[in-house]
Amino acid sequence: MESITAPELSLHRPNPVDPPPECPAHRAGGISRVLLPTGQEAWLVSRYEDIRTLAVDPRISSHLNGLGTVSHEPVPRRHPGAPEHITNLDGAAHRRFRLPIARHFTARRLTQLTEYVRETADACFAEMERQGPGVDLVRTLAMRVPSDTICRLFGLPVADQDTFHELATLALGGFARSEEEQREAGPRMFGYLAGIVADKHEHPDDGLFSDLVHGGHGFTDEEVLVLSGTLLVAGFDTTANMLALGTYALLDQRDQWDALAAAPDRAEAVGEELMRYLTVMQRGILRRAATDFEYAGTRFAEDDLVLLFLPAGNRDPDLVAEPDVLDVTRDPVRHLGFGYGPHQCIGQQLARLEMGVVWSGLARRFPGLRLAVPAEEIRFRSDTVVFGVEELPVTW
């Protein structure tokens, strides 16, 4: 990419439920050059249709070839020579890992998990009632349901769920942990997973983790560690933050919560609108031009970085009328909240199940739910891959 002065890309959200205010200008300018917060230049793709087109263009690679930054990686690197994250692979290399995983996210498997998700959510609701008004929704519900469910799916011991929850949170830099704790998070996470791999070699079960070890897929233990670390963290973090941030958005715009409370059976559709409106994958999807090519009047050079900016795409007027309005009565649209193309979130149906169960149950059990502190006192996670809420005190 030839050297010119590019404007800096801001990821700052003055309003936590909105993407950066520069998004409309980026869309209007089409594909443009920006300076990423890391100091690297990239092509910024902000329009909905352009994002969808380039996400499946074989000339755009997920393999960053050493050009990417840790700010876009789902979990810290195990060590410099570790296998690539599945998120950074293309073609056959990507399918080698994705296809064995996909069998654990079939409609049949999700049907088997539905009752567990409901029981877990009900237990969380009961704990909220036990603790009483003023409870932190993040720890008692938003993180608990997806973390417990992903542990069940993977076949992790029930007794380990708190350990996993802590390690995954640290790995993602959440809860304002110290720099030392965050630095140690990666080694602690992989040390824990190495113990699980060793246990599954001796004690196989029907969980996803055991299948990675015993399923005849040809994975090395090192590959299992990296793959499982990515899946475990990604499998709960995005959903957990959607549940917390989505509830905040609904309570902050009271008419939207009241509409859900009046029709809790629409919770799944509400979840689709919140996925579009919030786009918790705040840094978008970073890709690399695998070759020189031209698209829509823009000339990409090999190894140019390309940022598919999902927050802008989901607020594109070409996708939906009044895109900056949260409307839980809106019919679902084909948003980009789960990404798009070969790397579209493999666990999206599980996330939909969890969000539907949690929001429908929450609206039924706590129709008078409201923030327990002024909205301006809520602390948000803005320096991580996934945008979210640190704490969400609620009352009823």
Side-chain angles (χ1 to χ4, degrees):
M1 183 182 289
E2 65 183 54
S3 179
I4 64 172
T5 301
E8 292 186 10
L9 172 66
S10 172
L11 295 176
H12 176 60
R13 296 186 178 203
N15 183 342
V17 300
D18 289 329
E22 296 85 358
C23 278
H26 289 314
R27 275 196 308 270
I31 298 174
S32 58
R33 294 276 286 281
V34 295
L35 188 67
L36 300 178
T38 57
Q40 298 167 292
E41 289 188 13
W43 292 108
L44 186 72
V45 185
S46 300
R47 292 174 178 167
Y48 175 79
E49 286 299 339
D50 289 338
I51 291 173
R52 282 167 54 96
T53 300
L54 290 176
V56 298
D57 192 315
R59 299 170 296 184
I60 294 288
S61 175
S62 301
H63 182 58
L64 298 180
N65 201 26
L67 298 173
T69 67
V70 294
S71 66
H72 284 267
E73 291 189 343
V75 292
R77 297 286 288 175
R78 174 163 163 74
H79 56 73
E84 286 279 1
H85 292 301
I86 185 175
T87 54
N88 294 338
L89 298 173
D90 294 320
H94 173 241
R95 291 191 294 273
R96 173 175 174 251
F97 291 105
R98 186 175 176 100
L99 293 178
I101 298 166
R103 59 184 284 191
H104 293 272
F105 291 92
T106 62
R108 178 175 175 272
R109 186 69 178 106
L110 293 182
T111 297
Q112 295 171 344
L113 284 171
T114 298
E115 189 57 33
Y116 181 80
V117 173
R118 287 176 178 156
E119 290 175 355
T120 303
D122 285 342
C124 291
F125 298 146
E127 177 62 19
M128 289 175 60
E129 292 172 335
R130 188 192 68 78
Q131 292 188 29
V135 67
D136 175 19
L137 194 83
V138 173
R139 288 170 177 79
T140 56
L141 178 66
M143 301 200 85
R144 189 86 263 167
V145 171
S147 65
D148 285 12
T149 304
I150 204 71
C151 286
R152 174 66 174 263
L153 180 69
F154 268 74
L156 297 183
V158 173
D160 285 7
Q161 291 178 359
D162 286 338
T163 299
F164 160 70
H165 179 265
E166 177 194 2
L167 292 176
T169 301
L170 281 172
L172 291 155
F175 294 167
R177 302 293 189 182
S178 69
E179 290 185 10
E180 182 179 357
E181 286 178 310
Q182 293 184 26
R183 188 167 52 250
E184 295 174 352
R188 286 183 62 193
M189 167 68 82
F190 285 113
Y192 165 73
L193 293 176
I196 296 295
V197 169
D199 180 72
K200 296 304 180 185
H201 274 295
E202 298 296 325
H203 307 100
D205 53 40
D206 62 352
L208 195 158
F209 216 130
S210 188
D211 182 44
L212 296 179
V213 174
H214 292 282
H217 310 301
F219 299 151
T220 66
D221 282 359
E222 183 82 354
E223 288 174 328
V224 171
L225 284 177
V226 174
L227 181 59
S228 60
T230 301
L231 292 174
L232 279 167
V233 173
F236 102 94
D237 186 57
T238 305
T239 306
N241 282 287
M242 267 305 306
L243 289 170
L245 187 63
T247 304
Y248 165 83
L250 293 169
L251 297 179
D252 188 49
Q253 302 183 42
R254 188 68 204 184
D255 60 325
Q256 300 301 300
W257 173 260
D258 290 341
L260 171 60
D265 289 341
R266 294 200 73 256
E268 290 187 11
V270 171
E272 298 299 314
E273 171 66 354
L274 286 167
M275 286 291 297
R276 180 202 68 80
Y277 182 73
L278 295 172
T279 316
V280 294
M281 292 296 294
Q282 61 171 343
R283 300 179 184 182
I285 300 173
L286 192 63
R287 295 288 186 258
R288 177 182 63 89
T291 187
D292 296 349
F293 72 98
E294 183 173 338
Y295 169 79
T298 298
R299 295 191 62 82
F300 295 86
E302 184 177 356
D303 284 341
D304 279 357
L305 288 175
V306 182
L307 182 60
L308 307 179
F309 201 37
L310 305 182
N314 273 336
R315 294 289 187 96
D316 193 329
D318 288 341
L319 170 63
V320 66
E322 298 184 296
D324 294 323
V325 173
L326 173 62
D327 181 1
V328 298
T329 67
R330 196 194 304 268
D331 290 334
V333 296
R334 299 182 66 183
H335 59 77
L336 301 167
F338 291 111
Y340 191 74
H343 285 274
Q344 190 171 34
C345 176
I346 198 169
Q348 61 182 288
Q349 297 306 330
L350 177 58
R352 286 184 166 103
L353 167 64
E354 292 167 336
M355 289 188 288
V357 167
V358 167
W359 278 321
S360 63
L362 196 62
R364 286 190 174 94
R365 296 275 289 266
F366 303 92
L369 195 72
R370 62 185 187 277
L371 298 177
V373 299
E376 57 269 21
E377 294 183 13
I378 302 295
R379 295 185 298 115
F380 296 90
R381 293 175 54 189
S382 58
D383 59 349
T384 52
V385 175
V386 180
F387 189 84
V389 181
E390 291 281 5
E391 295 178 326
L392 190 64
V394 294
T395 188
W396 52 89

